[in-house]
Amino acid sequence: MSYALRNTLILLATLVLLGIGGWFFLRFSFAEDVIQQERQIQQKEQRLSQLSATADTFEQIQLMNITKRFEFENHPKELLSSNNVADVYELLHTINRGAAFTTMNFSLRDSVRNNDHGILRVRLDGDGSYRALFNFLTILEQSKPIVRITDIRIVPEGNTTESLNRIRYELHADFYYARGGTTTDPEMLIRTSVPRRLYNPFFALVHEVPANTDNLTDVERSRLVGLVRGGAYLIDQSGELRFVPIGSRVYLGSLIRVNMNEQTAAFRLNRGGIRDDVVLRINESE
């Protein structure tokens, strides 16, 4: 074997030994550090995903924060400036009028004092229409003074047709006022807007038909004998000739229109909650 070939083999063997030795050195000297670094990388990637998801909601959270700050700075509620019972009565008296009027009795129950606010507890009772009480409570709730109704009882006033829309009520309410170092706006704004349509749970959908105490024209027992543009002529249940203008009352309803060409008159009736249109033709009834 030549000298050059021998040296080449020795160098190759040396390189192989160095490579194997370097691998074993790295494998057994830095393995734990590498594994620990891989775990940290995975944890940081998970944390990065969480932070990215949170960052994506920044605009939504910012909008919610702006909305809440606006509501806080423009909150429509205020504490009463003092514990003067006359102010509470005057507030209730101001609300209890017009579409919100009920007969109302007022009495003070007791009062509570805290460091920064106090509470006046009052009792109200009376009677009126269901709509009026609802309007009263609506105005009281949406106005500036902080009021909490703790107890309310409502019962129908009676079972007759005339009393279906009337109720008796009793309620307890807490009025909050400022004390200690708490400040408040002395101007007590009253918002008087009320709903146009209201469902009365005490008014039966179908109820007893009232008697014809006013001796109105009973359409179903009458006969149409003549028409003009402003109304109709009928022979009523008593055999008398009566003129009924458009829009005027008849028993259980009113005259809503006349048709000169078809020689008919249409009436809209309400039979105890059951609504119906009745059409009469000259010289016969339908």
Side-chain angles (χ1 to χ4, degrees):
M1 179 181 295
S2 65
Y3 180 78
L5 179 60
R6 185 185 61 183
N7 288 341
T8 301
L9 293 174
I10 291 172
L11 289 172
L12 289 174
T14 302
L15 290 173
V16 170
L17 290 174
L18 287 173
I20 294 173
W23 183 83
F24 276 102
F25 177 77
L26 295 174
R27 174 70 178 81
F28 293 103
S29 298
F30 298 100
E32 290 298 327
D33 293 340
V34 171
I35 293 173
Q36 184 176 359
Q37 291 293 329
E38 290 178 347
R39 289 174 181 172
Q40 292 180 358
I41 291 173
Q42 291 178 353
Q43 293 175 355
K44 290 182 178 180
E45 287 179 346
Q46 293 177 356
R47 180 60 177 166
L48 177 62
S49 298
Q50 294 175 355
L51 293 175
S52 297
T54 302
D56 291 339
T57 62
F58 171 75
E59 293 184 358
Q60 179 181 359
I61 299 298
Q62 184 183 44
L63 179 60
M64 293 173 59
N65 180 60
I66 293 174
T67 302
K68 290 301 180 183
R69 286 182 62 87
F70 178 82
E71 291 177 354
F72 174 77
E73 294 172 357
N74 298 273
H75 198 276
K77 293 294 185 179
E78 289 284 354
L79 295 168
L80 294 172
S81 58
S82 70
N83 62 345
N84 190 338
V85 179
D87 292 341
V88 174
Y89 177 79
E90 182 60 28
L91 170 68
L92 296 172
H93 178 69
T94 303
I95 297 175
N96 187 39
R97 61 180 59 182
F101 174 77
T102 65
T103 58
M104 179 181 296
N105 301 312
F106 170 89
S107 61
L108 176 67
R109 295 173 57 216
D110 58 23
S111 62
V112 177
R113 291 186 177 183
N114 297 306
N115 293 332
D116 56 353
H117 73 280
I119 304 173
L120 291 174
R121 292 174 173 166
V122 304
R123 176 183 180 272
L124 305 176
D125 68 89
D127 61 83
S129 69
Y130 179 84
R131 176 177 292 276
L133 177 63
F134 185 90
N135 291 340
F136 173 83
L137 295 177
T138 299
I139 295 173
L140 182 65
E141 190 278 332
Q142 67 190 8
S143 297
K144 249 188 175 183
I146 300 178
V147 182
R148 177 172 174 259
I149 296 177
T150 59
D151 181 39
I152 184 169
R153 300 176 184 178
I154 304 174
V155 295
E157 192 174 77
N159 297 321
T160 63
T161 304
E162 292 76 14
S163 63
L164 288 175
N165 195 42
R166 296 190 60 81
I167 50 91
R168 294 193 301 272
Y169 69 90
E170 175 186 346
L171 66 86
H172 296 162
D174 293 348
F175 289 77
Y176 290 73
Y177 66 91
R179 67 184 312 269
T182 304
T183 59
T184 185
D185 184 357
E187 182 182 359
M188 291 289 103
L189 179 64
I190 297 176
R191 292 179 171 86
T192 58
S193 60
V194 293
R196 291 186 178 181
R197 296 185 177 181
L198 178 66
Y199 170 68
N200 181 359
F202 298 103
F203 194 97
L205 297 179
V206 178
H207 48 82
E208 185 177 342
V209 176
N212 189 6
T213 54
D214 295 332
N215 195 29
L216 298 171
T217 302
D218 189 341
V219 173
E220 296 182 306
R221 297 171 56 196
S222 300
R223 181 164 54 91
L224 181 63
V225 295
L227 292 173
V228 293
R229 295 191 181 277
Y233 288 93
L234 297 95
I235 302 296
D236 68 4
Q237 64 273 13
S238 302
E240 297 181 3
L241 176 65
R242 291 196 181 187
F243 175 68
V244 181
I246 294 177
S248 63
R249 292 176 59 203
V250 295
Y251 177 51
L252 302 179
S254 62
L255 174 63
I256 57 175
R257 64 179 177 273
V258 297
N259 190 317
M260 303 293 291
N261 295 328
E262 296 181 1
Q263 298 290 289
T264 59
F267 300 84
R268 181 154 296 162
L269 306 182
N270 184 343
R271 301 183 180 90
I274 301 176
R275 291 172 172 80
D276 189 19
D277 289 347
V278 174
V279 178
L280 298 184
R281 184 172 283 105
I282 289 181
N283 296 324
E284 64 179 15
S285 61
E286 294 183 357

